[in-house]
Amino acid sequence: QVQLAQSGAEVKKPGASVKVSCKASGYRFTTYGFSWVRQAPGQGLEWMGWISAKNGNTKYVEKLQGRVTMTTDTSTTTVYMELRSLRSDDTAVYYCARHSKTGISATNYYFYGMNVWGQGTTVTVSS
Amino acid sequence: DIQMTQSPSSLSASVGDRVTITCQASEDINNYLNWYQQKPGKAPELLIYDASNLETGVPPRFSGSGSGTDFIFAISNLQPEDSATYYCQQFDNLPLTFGGGTKVEI
């Protein structure tokens, strides 16, 4: 069956980097794009960015530009999210999610519903 | 960025009730809206896509409607397992943005 399996919990010091993995299985990997969504303790959902598994194109939320990098490895059907210069407010559960489809127009990208999710990875940033 | 305003932030209802949640976008998003359910300690789950379409496997007591800036999510015949937080999410424009969530207690 279609699954996204994420790497385990991480504890990092402020200023460090973290790299979370998300291994996809059960379907043709390059067909769909992925988003990363995070959730701080007791808070709502925050979209971080998107990556195409077909060609590696990315779209990041402006507030994380320069600190986040999303990559894919088609040989292992794995998506990665690296976040650098960690701060205490980066403490959150990080989810990868697969979009049902992607639409691209001349002026916009349309990332349709996220219908498959990983189990989440807790990242704690503390000195 | 498009702001998504969800209301109420929480509600309490009884088994068998019908409940509704509203989501208002700060600008026209056509029907580019999804609804998710999240239970404590779990990943969100897509329930409704493109404003009104039921995701495969989701019980038909869940429904969505609306277009433009105003959207409604409804649960009819509320069940104990529907206790969760529900989020709307727009994808008309980047960045993708979520509503603040509605916690439904049974």
Side-chain angles (χ1 to χ4, degrees):
Chain A
Q1 72 277 27
V2 176
Q3 283 188 99
L4 300 179
Q6 296 185 224
S7 49
E10 303 265 11
V11 179
K12 297 291 183 180
K13 294 193 183 302
S17 298
V18 69
K19 192 170 186 177
V20 180
S21 68
C22 169
K23 180 170 174 60
S25 61
Y27 72 97
R28 184 176 177 179
F29 179 70
T30 54
T31 303
Y32 302 95
F34 293 84
S35 277
W36 287 88
V37 175
R38 68 180 181 178
Q39 186 170 37
Q43 302 301 306
L45 302 169
E46 179 186 21
W47 182 73
M48 300 176 66
W50 168 91
I51 184 166
S52 167
K54 180 178 180 180
N55 57 23
N57 284 352
T58 54
K59 292 289 182 184
Y60 301 136
V61 68
E62 188 173 342
K63 68 178 281 189
L64 295 177
Q65 286 274 6
R67 289 208 299 137
V68 68
T69 301
M70 297 176 189
T71 56
T72 64
D73 183 340
T74 54
S75 68
T76 61
T77 65
T78 302
V79 186
Y80 297 92
M81 186 284 299
E82 181 180 32
L83 191 59
R84 299 176 293 279
S85 302
L86 288 167
R87 310 188 292 242
S88 58
D89 62 356
D90 292 317
T91 294
V93 177
Y94 289 75
Y95 295 102
C96 60
R98 192 196 79 174
H99 289 272
S100 59
K101 62 180 177 179
T102 299
I104 302 175
S105 72
T107 57
N108 204 3
Y109 283 75
Y110 298 96
F111 304 144
Y112 287 78
M114 291 174 272
N115 61 354
V116 184
W117 291 70
Q119 81 274 22
T121 297
T122 300
V123 175
T124 304
V125 183
S126 173
S127 56
Chain B
D1 298 1
I2 297 176
Q3 307 301 316
M4 304 301 294
T5 303
Q6 239 181 283
S7 62
S9 57
S10 65
L11 65 90
S12 182
S14 301
V15 172
D17 284 354
R18 182 176 189 272
V19 300
T20 59
I21 299 168
T22 64
C23 184
Q24 186 170 60
S26 60
E27 59 187 79
D28 189 340
I29 59 169
N30 299 290
N31 68 332
Y32 293 137
L33 183 103
N34 302 312
W35 290 95
Y36 298 87
Q37 176 193 68
Q38 186 180 33
K39 297 183 178 180
K42 299 295 187 182
E45 178 184 342
L46 179 66
L47 298 184
I48 302 289
Y49 63 94
D50 302 355
S52 60
N53 295 291
L54 198 65
E55 176 69 1
T56 302
V58 174
R61 64 177 181 273
F62 295 97
S63 64
S65 63
S67 184
T69 61
D70 296 299
F71 300 86
I72 294 174
F73 172 81
I75 313 173
S76 60
N77 188 22
L78 199 64
Q79 297 299 301
E81 60 266 31
D82 300 335
S83 180
T85 300
Y86 295 85
Y87 295 92
C88 61
Q89 174 248 318
Q90 68 80 24
F91 61 102
D92 181 67
N93 233 321
L94 299 183
L96 305 185
T97 48
F98 292 87
T102 297
K103 186 174 184 179
V104 173
E105 295 181 327
I106 314 295

